Amino acid sequence: MDFFGIQDSRRQQSLLLLVFFSAAMLAMAAVVHVLAVVIAYPSTGSMDFSEPTTGAKAFIALIWITCLIGCFFRFLDVRAGGVALARRFGAVEANSSGRYAKEEWLDDIVNEIAVASACAVPRIFILHREPSINAFVVGGFNGKEALVVSQGAIDKLSREELSAVVAHEFGHIAQGDIPINMRLLIALGGLNAIDEVGKLLMVKSEGRLLAQPGAVVGFVIRVIGSIGVFFGRIFRSAFSRKREFLADACAVQFTRMPEHVAAALSIVRDEHDDEGIHSVHAEELAHLCFQVGDINDWQKRVFATHPPIQKRIDAIDPHFSIKAKSRKRKESEKKPQLYSVGNGRAAMPMSGAEQVSGGQISDAAAMVLTDTASCLAVLHAVFVSDDSERRREFYKAIGFAYNKVFAAQVKEVRETLSHELHNNQLAIIENATQQLRSSIKFENRQRMLKSLEKLVAVEDEYTLMNYATLQLIRRKLDAEFPVLETVCSGESSVAQASHVKTFDRMGEEFALLLSLMIESSGNNDDTLDDQFAMALKCYTQDQLSRRTSNEPGIVKELETSFQTLYVQPRPIREAFVRHCLELAQSDGHIAKDERALLDLFAASLNCDALAA
Amino acid sequence: MGVGTVALIVAVLVAAYFVMVYNRLVTHRNRFKNAFSQIDVQLQRRYELIPNLVEVANKYVKHEKETLTAVMDARNQASKACKEASANPDKSGLVGALAQAEQTLGNAMGKFNMVMEAYPELKADESLRDLHDELTTTENRVGYSRQAYSDAVMRYNTEREQFPAVIVANTCSFLEADLFEAANEEIREPIKVAFS
C-alpha cells in the first residue's frame, strides 16, 4: 500500500470536514440569530435583523451562555489528562517488569513503535477485565497521553499483531488526533447542554406548549440543540472514520508489516461474540478505540465512529483474505494435526514426549485394545488407584456392578499396562474411546458412563483428577454433558438466570478454578499462594483464600462454577482458559495433571475450538 | 496603480514565499536530524552492551580470541563513525560510512553468535543471556529508528527537490541527506557460504 499517499489524502479529507464543521457552527449562529428575532416579533413588532430587540438579545445570550457552560463542564471532564482518564476507565498501569512475559512484550513494543514514530513514549495501561481485542489512547491538552490496551489484545494477538495495534494508536498520536478529539468532545458538550436546557424548560411547563412563552422558547432551544447534536455527531463520526484509515496507514508506516496490521484487523473481525468494548464507558470511548462492533444498518453507519473492518483491511491489502486462506491451507498441509488428537476437539498444546507421540500408543497397548470388552476394561483400569486397599475395593465394586470375569479383565489390563496408563493416559483413552464410539450405540455409551460414574465416585464424591478424566472420557464418547445441560436445555431459563452473575461477582468462581489449576503444577505451598494471589488479581480485588483439591465437595462446587462461567460471553471464557494455559506453562512445561485440568476447563467452558 | 507599486507587491509576495519555503525546509531538516539522533541513542546503547558481552564471553572462549577481537575492533570503528556522523548528520558520506561500519559490526556479531553456539556453558551463562536479550531489544529499536530516519530523510529530500523549493534549497545550501545505507556495494552483497 502507498501509505504516504493514503495519509495525505485522508488528511486533506479530514481538514475539509473540519472546515465544514466550522461552517456548520457559523450557520447555527445565524439560525439562532434569526430565530431570536422571529420569536421576539409578537411582543415587539420589530423584524430588524441587524438591531435585535432586548428580548431577542437575551435569547441569543441564553443560547450562547448555555453552550459555553456546557463546553466548560466537558472541559473540566477531559482536562484531567490521559492518566486520570485511563484510570477512570478501570485500566491499571503496566509495569515494565510485568507479571507475564506478554506484559514485558507490550512494554518493548511500545518503546519500539515510539522510536519508529518519533513520538514520546506514553504511559501504558492495561484493561485487565476487558476480554475483547481493543486499544485506545487518551490524553488531555498537555500532551501526556496514556495508551490503554485490553487484556484480550495482549492474550489473543501475536507479537507482530500487537505491534500493529499499538502502531495504529501511535498513528493517532502522531497525527494529533487526541487534541482534535478532545476539542470535538468539548464542542459536543456545548451542543448537548443547549439540548438539555430546552428539555428542562419544556418539562417545567408540563406540556402546555402554547400556553406559556417559556415552553415555546424551550421548544425552539431544543430544536436548535437537537439539530446541533445530530450534525455534531454525524460530523464527529465522519471525522473519526477518516482518522481510522489514516491511523491504519500510519501503522503500516511504523511497522512496515501491512500483513500483520491486516491480520490484527481480521482477528478482530472474526470475534463474532464480541460487540466492541464491554466497559461502562463504551459510548464515550467509541471514537478512541482500535475497533467497535461491525455495523450493517445504514442509520448506524452514519453515526459509526469506525469504518467497517473489511473496508479497513481492503485499504491495507485488497488481497489479504485470499492470501490468508492460501497460507492457512499451506500450513495445514505442512503440519498434519500435530496438536489435535483424534477428532480434533479438545486441541491443546502438549508437552515434551506427548507432543512427539501425539495419539500414539505402544504395541502392548495396541494388542490389548482389540475388542469392545477390552476397551471398556481399559477405561475402567484408568481409574484403578495406586493404593492397594482402594484397588481391591474398586475391583470388588466392578465385580458387583458387572461380573467377576470383567473385574478380572480390568485387573489384567491394569497389570499389563500399568506404566502406560500412568504416562500416556491421554492416548490410551483416545484410542479406546475411538473404538467404542464406532462399536457401541449412543444409549449404551450413556449407560456405560453412568455405571462408570457410580464406580468412580466414592460416596458421591470424586477426586478432582478422576473427575477430570471422567469428563474427558465423556467428551470423547460424544456423550452428553449433564453439568451443562441444566444451563443449556429448554426448561432451564430459571436455572440459567440463577447462574447469571456480573463479572465482578464471580471472584469466588475464578478463585476456585485458579487454585485448582495452580495446585496441579505440584509446587510447594508458599509458591502456590504467591502464584494464586498474583493470578487472582486479574479478576477481583477481593482477598480470597486459596482452595485445595482435597476439600470435601470440591467437585460439586467446581461444577457449579462451570455453570456460572458457561453463561458468560465467549471472550471472557476463552481469555480465562488462555490464562490457565499461561499459568500451566509458566514453569516451562505442562505436567500431566495440569494438562488434564486444562482440558477439563476448556471443554467445560465450551472453548473446545481453542487450539494452541 | 503604478508599475512601481505592482513590482513592490510582487516582490513582497516572492519574499514571503521564499521565507515560507525556507522555514519548511528548516523544519524538515531538523526533523531528519532529530531522527538521526534517535539512531545515535540506540547505537550508543548497543556499543555499551557489546564490551560487556565480550567480557563475559572471554571467560569461556579459549580458542576464538580473534573473533572477540574482531567484534571489539568493529565496535570501536562503528562507535567512532557514529560520533562523527552525529556531529554532522547532513554532511555527505558520514552517514554512509556509519552504515558501512555498522554492517561490519553486524557481520562480526554474526560470527560471535556462531561461536556462542559451540560453547554450551557460554550459552547457559545467565548474565550473557540477559545481555543478549537486551542487545536483541536494542537492535529492534535500531531497526525502527533507522526506518523513522529514512522516512524523515525521504520527506526532506522530496521537499528540497521540488520546484521551486529547489531554488531556495540550492541558494541557501540545504544539502541532500544520505539514507542510512552502506555506500560500499561489496558489503551489501549477501555473505557467500562455501561447502568444501
Side-chain angles (χ1 to χ4, degrees), chain A residues 61-71 189-190 193-195 197:
Chain A
L62 172 72
I63 298 269
W64 287 117
I65 290 172
T66 315
C67 186
L68 282 179
I69 292 175
C71 289
I194 299 178
D195 190 33
V197 166

Side-chain angles (χ1 to χ4, degrees), chain B residues 91-156:
Chain B
K91 193 171 167 195
S92 174
L94 287 183
V95 175
L98 170 62
Q100 206 162 314
E102 269 294 306
Q103 199 110 24
T104 319
L105 177 59
N107 290 346
M109 286 303 289
K111 265 186 210 142
F112 174 78
N113 286 341
M114 265 160 64
V115 168
M116 231 174 88
E117 293 295 320
Y119 291 83
E121 67 274 30
L122 173 62
K123 258 173 79 181
D125 188 294
E126 203 158 304
S127 57
L128 184 104
R129 228 173 10 201
D130 287 348
L131 279 169
H132 209 263
D133 284 350
E134 195 155 355
L135 200 64
T136 315
T137 320
T138 317
E139 252 152 35
N140 275 348
R141 289 185 196 171
V142 170
Y144 278 114
S145 56
R146 280 178 59 167
Q147 182 187 304
Y149 172 76
S150 302
D151 288 349
V153 164
M154 189 209 78
R155 286 215 177 93
Y156 167 74

